[in-house]
Amino acid sequence: MSRDMSYDAVMSRKTEIVKASAGIDFDQFESGSVAFDYERMLKSTGYDFDSVKRIQREVGVGNTPMLELRNLTALARKIAGPGKGARIFVKDEACNPSGSFKDRRAAMAAYHAKKAGYPGVLAATSGNFGAAVASQAAMRGLKCIIVQETYDSRKVGQPEIIEKARKCEAYGAEVVQTTVGPELFYQSLSLLESTGYFSASLYSPFGIIGVETLGTEVSEQIMALTGKQPDAVVITNAGGGNVTGTARGLRRAGCKAAVIGASVNLKGLHMASDTAFNKKSFTTGHTGFGIPFVTNPDRSDVPRSAARPLRYLDRYVTVNQGEVFYMTELLATLEGMERGPAGNTSLAAAFAIAQEMNEDQILVVQETEYTGAGKHVQPQLSFARDNGIDIHFGNPADEVPGESIILPESPASMRVDELNLDHMRKSFIKGAIDGHDKLTDEDIEYLAAETGSTVEFVKQNI
């Protein structure tokens, strides 16, 4: 007898589908009323740090160059004035096999899928992770399906997403494209169940342990180049895995650099809205993912996400779309590096933050990504214009997401907006304890760890 594949029926089976496709029983980590054992969940993969490094080396992942951006540093110092302007470095993750840091996550997923006997891997993503999974699957001799949220109801797709579909197909993956909305999760669950493939989730423990090597490399390379540790590391934040894995790697290396998250400001554009879908020029690294996943990381496709950014963030800032496009052009024309927009989100933030810091300090931008026809500045701006977005030079602070993209009149116009982490911590606590009348000491200690705060802060806000 065939299974009921209606939307409601598939959703009712999601727990058993996720458990089978991830190879993890998430219930074993639960305790107290709201607590769960985060560190034990990460260790449940069975891979220690040395194993992760070995697996990544086998497929050419990691050990990417650390480059000093001397010309951008000089420009930042010119604007900032005497004594100000930290040295800006960038970790060139575009040198990974598929062109982004996501290869670190995908390498672990594909290796484990092969080892555990899964016939293939599946990932639900419109971003670089799809290309990374497809690339790693090809190296391991696995079949691969990438499910993309690509179109609005008019069947109009964003150039960046379509570019990534072509890249996935080039590696031999089958790409399934959906319209915006719940169809993405439904299609993914249906395919996981029918194929028996491994779920290469962005939010699984396999993904996060793979990123830890990035953090340790940042620490080790800066020490080798400068003789000291970085003072701050700026990390593009979307679903939180980039921040979480990198910060854990930094800590593993004994590095106490400030961890600064950066997202593109897309305030007012709902990520599940059909009409807003093509009003944004960034498919990742924006507040539509960043803020919801900071305050509720378990909104992901696994019961307990291994991406927990609030545990590690010291600061969280936003930049506007026009500033990232402008920085993409500056990086190309001043440093001779043509890279895609997601990594340049953190670079745009770093350029402004460097001007707050002293000349003897070191600021690291933790990733770059590949660029291509659909990810280029010009097709992105042309697509925005076609969708009614006003594009002009002016004051970036006047930009309204969904209505305008304002390119800075000069580099001196670049700035960051601060997000209040304490407000996010309070929001996390409120959501976590909703429906729970009695909290144990274990629960309170867990909430303190989850929010990167203290037991006292939690008690004041429950």
Side-chain angles (χ1 to χ4, degrees), residues 90-406:
V90 65
K91 189 88 162 85
D92 197 8
E93 288 290 285
C95 295
N96 281 308
S98 78
S100 80
F101 86 95
K102 297 288 180 65
D103 284 310
R104 296 177 186 266
R105 302 168 102 158
M108 298 309 301
Y111 179 88
H112 184 76
K114 183 75 171 182
K115 178 183 176 183
Y118 288 86
V121 291
L122 181 147
T125 169
S126 298
N128 291 335
F129 189 52
V133 172
S135 171
Q136 290 298 311
M139 292 188 192
R140 296 293 180 187
L142 292 166
K143 296 178 181 179
C144 180
I145 298 174
I146 303 300
V147 186
Q148 283 189 330
E149 190 176 59
T150 310
Y151 303 108
D152 63 14
S153 59
R154 301 171 298 161
K155 298 298 175 68
V156 175
Q158 297 185 24
E160 184 176 356
I161 299 175
I162 294 170
E163 156 77 19
K164 290 169 183 173
R166 287 192 291 262
K167 194 169 179 71
C168 293
E169 289 173 338
Y171 291 123
E174 177 184 352
V175 178
V176 177
Q177 297 180 321
T178 75
T179 53
V180 64
E183 183 186 358
L184 179 73
F185 194 30
Y186 164 72
Q187 287 283 4
S188 300
L189 288 172
S190 299
L191 288 166
L192 285 169
E193 187 176 47
S194 63
T195 62
Y197 282 12
F198 180 74
S199 175
S201 168
L202 279 163
Y203 307 100
S204 76
F206 300 99
I208 301 310
I209 64 171
V211 185
E212 288 189 22
T213 57
L214 178 48
T216 59
E217 286 175 27
V218 167
S219 172
E220 291 164 359
Q221 289 176 321
I222 289 295
M223 177 64 76
L225 289 169
T226 69
K228 60 181 182 178
Q229 295 283 7
D231 295 281
V233 179
V234 188
I235 306 169
T236 300
N237 185 52
N242 199 9
V243 166
T244 302
T246 302
R248 289 178 62 84
L250 289 167
R251 289 185 178 183
R252 179 182 290 277
C255 178
K256 298 179 180 179
V259 174
I260 305 173
S263 296
V264 180
N265 172 27
L266 293 186
K267 184 178 181 181
L269 294 182
H270 194 285
M271 292 307 102
S273 166
D274 178 61
T275 56
F277 185 67
N278 283 326
K279 292 286 186 179
K280 61 188 190 301
S281 293
F282 287 80
T283 61
T284 186
H286 56 67
T287 54
F289 287 119
I291 293 175
F293 276 86
V294 165
T295 56
N296 179 17
D298 295 322
R299 64 191 294 122
S300 69
D301 58 358
V302 290
R304 286 291 192 174
S305 173
R308 321 296 291 192
L310 204 53
R311 284 175 172 253
Y312 304 102
L313 284 170
D314 296 304
R315 185 178 175 187
Y316 192 8
V317 301
T318 62
V319 291
N320 286 340
Q321 295 178 94
E323 291 171 308
V324 180
F325 284 132
Y326 186 77
M327 181 53 64
T328 300
E329 293 287 276
L330 279 183
L331 180 64
T333 56
L334 293 186
E335 299 289 353
M337 295 176 63
E338 188 180 34
R339 299 292 185 269
N344 292 335
T345 298
S346 49
L347 179 57
F351 183 75
I353 293 169
Q355 297 171 47
E356 306 168 4
M357 301 169 65
N358 295 329
E359 282 188 349
D360 61 350
Q361 292 184 292
I362 294 170
L363 181 61
V364 177
V365 177
Q366 152 281 359
E367 55 138 338
T368 63
E369 62 163 353
Y370 83 96
T371 192
K375 293 160 68 73
H376 224 270
V377 171
Q378 291 307 319
Q380 291 284 73
L381 292 180
S382 295
F383 186 74
R385 189 176 289 109
D386 290 343
N387 281 276
I389 307 298
D390 175 43
I391 302 171
H392 63 270
F393 285 89
N395 184 352
D398 295 332
E399 183 175 291
V400 178
E403 296 181 14
S404 61
I405 293 176
I406 302 179

